[in-house]
Amino acid sequence: MSDPGSRIEDLVALMARLPGLGPRSARRAVLHLIRRRGTLMAPLAQALAEVAAHTRDCSICGNIAEADTCDLCRNPARATGEICVVEDVSDLWAMERGGAFRGRYHVLGGTLSALDAVGPDELGIPRLVARVADEGIREVIVALNATVEGQTTAHYIAEALAPTGVTVTGLAQGVPIGGELDYLDDGTIQAALRARRSLQG
Amino acid sequence: MSDPGSRIEDLVALMARLPGLGPRSARRAVLHLIRRRGTLMAPLAQALAEVAAHTRDCSICGNIAEADTCDLCRNPARATGEICVVEDVSDLWAMERGGAFRGRYHVLGGTLSALDAVGPDELGIPRLVARVADEGIREVIVALNATVEGQTTAHYIAEALAPTGVTVTGLAQGVPIGGELDYLDDGTIQAALRARRSLQG
Ligand SMILES: [Zn+2]
Ligand SMILES: [Zn+2]
């Protein structure tokens, strides 16, 4: 009865669960939407419903897909013999914005963590190893965040891939210590990709 | 074909129109939603569609309503003989959170602005004047932002109400110069309401 109706309160509570929006900014966002109910709120509701209904995880690489496999895995031009391993779909998007990488991806969905019980299976590492032979991969570029967890996971992946004989490289120059890919400018990512170094030996 | 599909791109573009979200944070929010498509994205789509379909402006006070009139205008307990004039629905919400005001509201929806062609009619000031007689109002509390536009509008309202003989007050102590109501803590708003001063003479 007090201020916003319960239907609006429910909406504010849902909006407040978005990253970067607290309770106050969620209220402002909802008010902004209500003022534009025809031009923004209804189209946003529709777009959210459609994406929710039509997205899934690509069964090959873990990217977001609108079918069983994603656009990148279905695109023959991306069969370059290279796979880029990223932690998260947001990192894949950052790599694609950079535009320097033309191969395919493996999205881990996290990093190894004993604490959170995230092991190689949870990250699809056996599936990645299988792809190297199946798809005739020559090089796996491990593009993980320059954090302790990222680098631990990168070394684990390099060891898991060693028996396949594939070249395993990592992004080098340009990624600052502790930096996260998604916050880097596109030029930095391109430079780091060009200067990639071997993780072996 | 590049990174997110066009359906997802469209959603990111809509999300980026929310206050407080730029293109980057909109992408992060969409990714966050896609990861929680069943538990957050679909319910959010539903909540947005419902609010868009069921909200309108209260025909009496300009508050957000789910019927022709809002909860506050329909609640007989709020017929205290007091009307609080606010610039925006977000200010009404801020007043209600404070909990010190028990009367009804008039939401201007802006301030007087020659530049933007916002005159008394656009702010519903004639409707406010009529309410004073119709509803037996004893006091109108003009709770506008402590900005030049807010205070200019407050003085115009006080003059427009002068012929009715109603007491016109304004929030006093506690509202900092240049401050906006929606950013104040609840205690400050309560103190300012208690110490309200006459805008007449
Ligand atoms: Zn894929
Ligand atoms: Zn009302």
Side-chain angles (χ1 to χ4, degrees), chain A residues 7 28 35 66 88, chain B residues 7 28 35 66 88 182:
Chain A
R7 193 179 262 139
R28 297 200 147 240
R35 287 200 203 95
E66 302 203 2
D88 196 274
Chain B
R7 195 178 260 139
R28 297 199 148 242
R35 287 201 204 93
E66 302 203 2
D88 196 274
D182 195 31

Side-chain angles (χ1 to χ4, degrees), chain B residues 57-65 68-74 92 104-105 107 131:
Chain B
D57 295 336
C58 172
S59 63
I60 298 175
C61 76
N63 185 17
I64 293 168
D68 180 56
T69 55
C70 75
D71 287 351
L72 299 174
C73 285
R74 281 202 310 278
L92 183 157
R104 287 182 176 143
Y105 290 91
V107 181
R131 284 180 68 191

Side-chain angles (χ1 to χ4, degrees), chain B residues 131-149:
Chain B
R131 284 180 68 191
V132 168
D134 294 351
E135 302 180 24
I137 300 299
R138 290 172 293 97
E139 180 175 354
V140 173
I141 301 165
V142 183
L144 300 186
N145 293 325
T147 57
V148 172
E149 299 75 20

Side-chain angles (χ1 to χ4, degrees), chain A residues 72-154:
Chain A
L72 299 174
C73 285
R74 281 201 311 276
N75 182 353
R78 303 296 297 240
T80 60
E82 294 168 313
I83 289 179
C84 180
V85 179
V86 291
E87 184 174 326
D88 196 274
V89 173
S90 62
D91 299 325
L92 185 158
W93 289 0
M95 290 292 295
E96 288 294 293
R97 285 196 302 278
F101 179 69
R102 304 306 303 158
R104 288 181 176 144
Y105 291 91
H106 176 86
V107 181
L108 294 170
T111 48
L112 293 173
S113 166
L115 212 64
D116 301 321
V118 179
D121 286 350
E122 281 70 30
L123 304 181
I125 293 176
R127 186 160 44 84
L128 170 65
V129 174
R131 284 180 68 190
V132 168
D134 295 351
E135 303 180 24
I137 301 299
R138 292 173 292 99
E139 180 175 354
V140 173
I141 302 164
V142 184
L144 300 186
N145 293 326
T147 56
V148 173
E149 298 77 19
Q151 295 312 301
T152 303
T153 305

